[in-house]
Amino acid sequence: MTDPRVAVGIINYGDYRHLPDCLDSIKRQTMRADRVIVLDNHSRADEIGPIGNAYPEVQILAMQDNLGYSGGANRIVREADGYDHVMLLNPDVVLGPRHLEELVGVMVSAPGVGSVGGKLLLGDSQTDSGPSGDAPRILDSTGHLIFRSRRVIDRGHGELDVGQYDKPEEVFSICGAAVLYRRSMLDDIQIDGEYFDEDFFAYKEDVDTCWRAQLLGWGSRYNPAAIAYHLRGWKRRDDRRRVPWLRKYHSFKNHSLMMIKNELPALLRRDCLPILWLGVRAMVYVALIEPALLKAVLDLKKYLPRARYKRGIIMKRCRASTEQMGRWFV
């Protein structure tokens, strides 16, 4: 049996400060990546050029437009055709040296797993809480939890790491900041050539992809032996006022699209009250706190036809039972 071939793709938007740390951590892996791709959204030659010169082994895809996470991820997956696994990273993630080896090991041992992630810790390159620091380890994500209200959170986020998530286990989905996907799973769940829904642009596309994969019979696995640090420093300095609103806009929009596409009718009936309660709270927040987000609600109209079309495809191909899916909504 030959070793699986792995491509690593980084989706960058303006984070040239952390990108070298991310690339250096890939070079230090105990398992060598067969190909490394950096997709640079809204690319600036004066900033990505020095990165390309410093890392000649890295393939640079310089995009003049901003494709978002979904569009960028799709381009990387297409570019990495023929590889057994594709790892996607945010540019502000620094991998521990065995990260890739530990994730690939899960894929080899569990053929039904479509995505796998490790223990993602909060870090900051400007403090001692990064990979070489001595500060207490704070968790960023150990996979996603989804509630009966359909609210999704990063499991363990903000908690002190004292070993409470040191057990390998199945999870609903994996945080897109650092995730390894099985290529055959991505090919199985794609719709019209899109592995990640480009109507999402960014935010919750990772949950949507894993939810669709669960419906089609592919699992997600968490392996705590794979350690990585999330520096959370991707924002451009001159964009910091815009990003929070854009994040909320896409999160509001994408939450609804995700449910329209993936929700099973029996589970919707079972959980209608918590789902309704979350929706009421969200609308009260929009009305009283941030009325500009009403645009996210109004814009749903133009996305609905495509979401319903995609739902039809997903439901026809659904292989998971109501019971199998219902266990995830806690």
Side-chain angles (χ1 to χ4, degrees):
M1 180 182 292
T2 59
D3 291 334
R5 301 181 71 227
V6 182
V8 176
I10 302 168
I11 304 160
N12 188 57
Y13 175 61
D15 190 1
Y16 304 101
R17 180 166 63 103
H18 291 125
L19 189 53
D21 291 334
C22 181
L23 290 169
D24 287 341
S25 74
I26 295 171
K27 291 174 69 173
R28 291 193 297 266
Q29 292 299 295
T30 55
M31 178 179 182
R32 177 186 173 89
D34 297 283
R35 189 174 180 184
V36 180
I37 303 168
V38 172
L39 184 136
D40 190 38
N41 278 315
H42 229 174
S43 188
R44 293 174 56 174
D46 60 323
E47 293 189 284
I48 197 61
I51 299 290
N53 293 334
Y55 300 90
E57 73 281 8
V58 173
Q59 179 184 357
I60 305 292
L61 300 178
M63 303 290 105
Q64 296 306 304
D65 298 320
N66 182 7
L67 305 181
Y69 185 98
S70 296
N74 284 336
R75 175 64 187 271
I76 288 172
V77 173
R78 294 181 194 117
E79 195 73 21
D81 187 32
Y83 290 81
D84 299 291
H85 307 298
V86 180
M87 184 172 198
L88 295 180
L89 292 174
N90 283 5
D92 58 347
V93 169
V94 174
L95 302 178
R98 292 183 55 85
H99 193 93
L100 187 56
E101 181 180 350
E102 290 288 349
L103 297 190
V104 171
V106 174
M107 290 295 200
V108 171
S109 64
V113 170
S115 59
V116 59
K119 181 185 287 187
L120 200 55
L121 298 161
L122 285 171
D124 188 334
S125 61
Q126 306 304 311
T127 72
D128 288 335
S129 59
S132 60
D134 297 324
R137 303 205 312 180
I138 306 299
L139 292 165
D140 183 36
S141 181
T142 61
H144 290 138
L145 278 178
I146 186 166
F147 296 93
R148 293 183 69 170
S149 65
R150 303 310 186 256
R151 177 172 171 252
V152 180
I153 64 168
D154 283 297
R155 191 175 66 147
H157 179 77
E159 296 178 19
L160 186 66
D161 179 23
V162 292
Q164 69 272 45
Y165 299 105
D166 279 357
K167 176 185 175 183
E169 58 189 318
E170 286 187 278
V171 290
F172 180 71
S173 64
I174 303 294
C175 174
V179 54
L180 182 71
Y181 293 106
R182 190 185 300 274
R183 178 63 195 236
S184 57
M185 181 276 283
L186 291 172
D187 289 338
D188 185 38
I189 70 168
Q190 61 83 26
I191 298 176
D192 294 345
E194 290 187 7
Y195 310 95
F196 300 84
D197 193 331
E198 294 189 15
D199 286 337
F200 280 52
F201 188 75
Y203 302 112
K204 296 187 179 178
E205 75 295 313
D206 49 359
V207 183
D208 174 68
T209 297
C210 287
W211 193 341
R212 189 184 340 140
Q214 293 277 3
L215 287 166
L216 271 62
W218 294 96
S220 292
R221 188 71 62 86
Y222 164 69
N223 181 7
I227 303 294
Y229 293 80
H230 195 188
L231 307 179
R232 288 195 178 270
W234 63 271
K235 305 179 185 67
R236 289 178 183 265
R237 292 184 181 274
D238 56 356
D239 278 352
R240 285 182 178 175
R241 291 185 178 182
R242 294 180 54 223
V243 169
W245 186 87
L246 286 174
R247 178 173 184 171
K248 291 176 186 177
Y249 168 81
H250 287 299
S251 292
F252 266 73
K253 167 178 69 70
N254 295 345
H255 183 84
S256 298
L257 293 178
M258 188 168 60
M259 289 188 60
I260 292 167
K261 290 168 54 186
N262 301 309
E263 191 66 63
L264 294 180
L267 295 177
L268 180 63
R269 290 192 294 270
R270 186 196 75 176
D271 298 335
C272 62
L273 289 180
I275 291 170
L276 180 62
W277 176 234
L278 181 65
V280 168
R281 290 168 58 192
M283 292 311 299
V284 169
Y285 173 86
V286 170
L288 299 181
I289 307 298
E290 204 153 0
L293 283 175
L294 184 61
K295 177 176 170 56
V297 180
L298 298 176
D299 283 354
L300 274 175
K301 183 177 180 181
K302 66 181 180 183
Y303 294 105
L304 276 177
R306 285 198 298 270
R308 288 170 177 157
Y309 164 74
K310 294 167 188 173
R311 174 181 175 80
I313 294 174
I314 294 167
M315 291 299 119
K316 285 180 182 178
R317 297 165 59 192
C318 180
R319 298 190 284 266
S321 67
T322 299
E323 291 74 21
Q324 288 172 322
M325 293 304 299
R327 67 193 175 104
W328 291 117
F329 306 114
V330 298

